[in-house]
Amino acid sequence: MFRYLPEQASQVASEVDWLHYWITDLAVFFTVAICGSMVYFAIRYRRRNGVDHETPRIEGSNFLEIVWTVVPTIISIIVAYYGVVIYNDLVRVDKDAMVINVEGRQWAWDFQYDNGKTTTGELYIPVGKPVQLVLTSKDVLHSFFVPSMRVKKDAVPGRFTYVSFTPIRTGDYNVFCTEYCGMNHSQMLAKLHVRSEAEFAQWKNDRSAELASAQMSPFELGKQLFTSKGCNACHTLNGAPLVGPSYLHLFGSKREFTDGTTLAEADDDYIRESILNPSAKVEKGYAPIMPSFDGQLSDQEILGLIAFIRAYKDGPPAGEEAPAAAAPAADPSTLSPVERGKIIYETKLCKACHTLDGSSLVGPTFKGIYGRKGELADGSSYVANEEYIKHSMLMPNDQVVKGFAPAMPSFEGQLSDDQINDVIAFMKSISE
Ligand code: CUA
């Protein structure tokens, strides 16, 4: 009964689940038995026709006393015994375990391998090999939780804790922070990738990403760090304030601070100071909560971030996404169908799967889509006319284009006929 735990992906998982379910079933059994007989007796011996049932007086029963003392004692001993045995399996570290350092910070997980390779939010391990993750935290208490592996442990600043397990099947698993640690706690996620030993070795020894970052232009490097270091959790690029000020029009602008001082022009040195020692100058209207990145960024990386912020001095740099925030605010009735279709494309997240530049993502590109001819997954052919496109929005899995997975959700009930026509108008506009 009640088999609800996630996939068992580590060696210890089946033991943990066995005990967990055993205790749960036991609890359900006794709850039903006790409450059931209570309800039964209440009904069976209820007061009827204004007359109470006369009940016999029972003085006690040694037999019953012994049964309901001995049986629960034995059950408790069994539960405690297996609890200790399985806990031991959970905390034991195999002497050949591969050690990976894990550091939690607001709001991401960083991983470091013994060859120096580091990643953020992506943990790769080989299948069938014991691993030991040594946990700590840069700022506040976090908790490292991989449900499929049945491991969970607090990551504490100034202290090392660990989890150890042996993955038994390849796959991708979710890692959560399971200790409330601030505004973006719920976004503090990572992916655990369990791979074959060969694939893992190849991945671990592939340092090309680091090499590439060493050869990137400062702007490209800063752009990459903006997401990989989690700056984007608190700073937007479209002018909207979040936890911290937006990067748009920041560089070169006048800044006011909480202590009443001002700075005529935000320059390189000010940005460097704000990255390394954020509490020195706290922007007026914001809380002094930014963590210091001292020791986490090389000089080259700081220069990259400064170049990135500088690029947003006079608006989004060419080739970067225009701020989308202003678009939905416009009054739809004053817009053309093409403009309205474009807003739907962005706000209904069509853009998550369909590009405008001709490249394929999860779904086919919208560039040149109207009137396109091709083959469907079932071998028949299609022409992307109004009827086909409308049908694809409402019943996407009916006519899946060959080479793509039937992954699109239906927009039935989410888009009016007018809105569908707007999207089609938008598609036509980019298909000439
Ligand atoms: Cu880190 Cu919640």
Side-chain angles (χ1 to χ4, degrees):
M1 231 194 308
F2 308 120
R3 296 296 178 257
Y4 46 77
L5 294 177
E7 189 181 358
Q8 300 174 340
S10 73
Q11 224 163 47
V12 78
S14 56
E15 298 174 37
V16 173
D17 292 6
W18 170 80
L19 184 61
H20 175 89
Y21 285 136
W22 204 74
I23 297 172
T24 311
D25 290 351
L26 214 59
V28 169
F29 172 77
F30 281 111
T31 306
V32 170
I34 293 168
C35 296
S37 33
M38 219 167 67
V39 170
Y40 171 77
F41 288 131
I43 295 170
R44 175 78 179 73
Y45 298 108
R46 69 188 184 277
R47 183 178 173 153
R48 257 180 290 201
N49 308 325
V51 189
D52 275 340
H53 287 275
E54 195 68 31
T55 49
R57 183 177 169 81
I58 300 172
E59 284 289 330
S61 156
N62 283 339
F63 173 73
L64 273 179
E65 292 286 352
I66 289 168
V67 167
W68 67 45
T69 305
V70 171
V71 171
T73 304
I74 293 173
I75 292 173
S76 304
I77 289 172
I78 295 174
V79 169
Y81 172 77
Y82 283 104
V84 170
V85 168
I86 295 168
Y87 178 75
N88 241 322
D89 286 345
L90 272 168
V91 297
R92 191 188 327 109
V93 182
D94 193 291
K95 64 177 178 6
D96 298 324
M98 180 175 71
V99 176
I100 301 167
N101 296 324
V102 181
E103 188 173 57
R105 62 178 157 86
Q106 287 170 317
W107 289 279
W109 294 104
D110 295 322
F111 304 99
Q112 188 192 34
Y113 292 80
D114 57 7
N115 66 348
K117 180 159 181 153
T118 57
T119 60
T120 295
E122 306 278 339
L123 172 60
Y124 282 80
I125 54 173
V127 69
K129 294 270 166 194
V131 291
Q132 184 189 19
L133 306 179
V134 177
L135 310 164
T136 191
S137 165
K138 184 147 203 80
D139 34 47
V140 300
L141 200 70
H142 303 278
S143 189
F144 188 84
F145 182 30
V146 195
S148 305
M149 302 294 162
R150 308 291 188 274
V151 293
K152 180 195 275 188
K153 195 80 181 182
D154 281 1
V156 188
R159 185 186 293 186
F160 294 109
T161 52
Y162 72 89
V163 293
S164 185
F165 59 92
T166 305
I168 54 172
R169 57 179 59 119
T170 56
D172 299 325
Y173 306 97
N174 293 318
V175 178
F176 298 95
C177 174
T178 186
E179 180 80 58
Y180 182 68
C181 57
M183 191 184 79
N184 283 345
H185 155 71
S186 62
Q187 303 299 314
M188 191 168 162
L189 309 170
K191 268 276 180 230
L192 169 64
H193 306 279
V194 180
R195 294 288 181 265
S196 72
E197 219 173 317
E199 267 179 279
F200 169 74
Q202 192 187 19
W203 175 85
K204 187 178 157 191
N205 293 321
D206 176 11
R207 310 292 294 274
S208 56
E210 286 147 279
L211 207 78
S213 83
Q215 293 169 343
M216 269 178 204
S217 73
F219 171 80
E220 287 295 330
L221 178 61
K223 183 178 165 185
Q224 191 203 56
L225 292 169
F226 176 66
T227 38
S228 69
K229 290 288 173 186
C231 315
N232 59 346
C234 301
H235 300 281
T236 69
L237 299 176
N238 63 7
L242 219 55
V243 181
S246 174
Y247 286 175
L248 189 69
H249 304 306
L250 189 154
F251 197 91
S253 67
K254 185 175 179 224
R255 313 310 293 176
E256 284 180 47
F257 305 116
T258 44
D259 60 4
T261 59
T262 57
L263 182 69
E265 231 180 68
D267 58 6
D268 304 53
D269 213 39
Y270 159 71
I271 290 169
R272 185 188 141 86
E273 183 187 36
S274 296
I275 294 172
L276 299 181
N277 185 11
S279 51
K281 293 190 176 71
V282 178
E283 181 95 353
K284 197 172 164 188
Y286 295 92
I289 55 167
M290 176 166 158
S292 164
F293 284 81
D294 199 2
Q296 285 199 65
L297 296 169
S298 65
D299 279 353
Q300 190 199 8
E301 289 174 320
I302 293 172
L303 286 168
L305 279 168
I306 294 173
F308 180 68
I309 294 170
R310 189 194 287 117
Y312 279 85
K313 186 176 192 254
D314 305 313
E320 300 299 316
E321 257 179 301
D331 177 5
S333 63
T334 64
L335 299 171
S336 71
V338 174
E339 287 168 322
R340 288 197 300 264
K342 177 146 199 253
I343 291 173
I344 294 168
Y345 169 76
E346 305 215 322
T347 54
K348 291 285 177 186
L349 297 180
C350 316
K351 68 172 178 183
C353 301
H354 301 280
T355 69
L356 300 179
D357 65 4
S359 61
S360 290
L361 229 51
V362 182
T365 181
F366 279 179
K367 188 183 180 191
I369 190 161
Y370 192 80
R372 188 189 294 157
K373 296 186 180 72
E375 201 183 325
L376 296 177
D378 63 8
S380 60
S381 57
Y382 73 96
V383 181
N385 53 22
E386 288 185 22
E387 199 193 345
Y388 169 82
I389 292 170
K390 182 169 175 182
H391 191 84
S392 293
M393 285 189 246
L394 301 181
M395 273 169 275
N397 298 333
D398 258 14
Q399 310 176 330
V400 178
V401 174
K402 193 172 179 178
F404 294 94
M408 176 168 159
S410 165
F411 284 80
E412 175 108 62
Q414 287 199 57
L415 293 172
S416 66
D417 277 355
D418 285 345
Q419 287 178 308
I420 290 173
N421 289 333
D422 290 342
V423 174
I424 293 173
F426 172 61
M427 287 175 170
K428 283 181 182 168
S429 78
I430 51 173
S431 300
E432 263 116 50

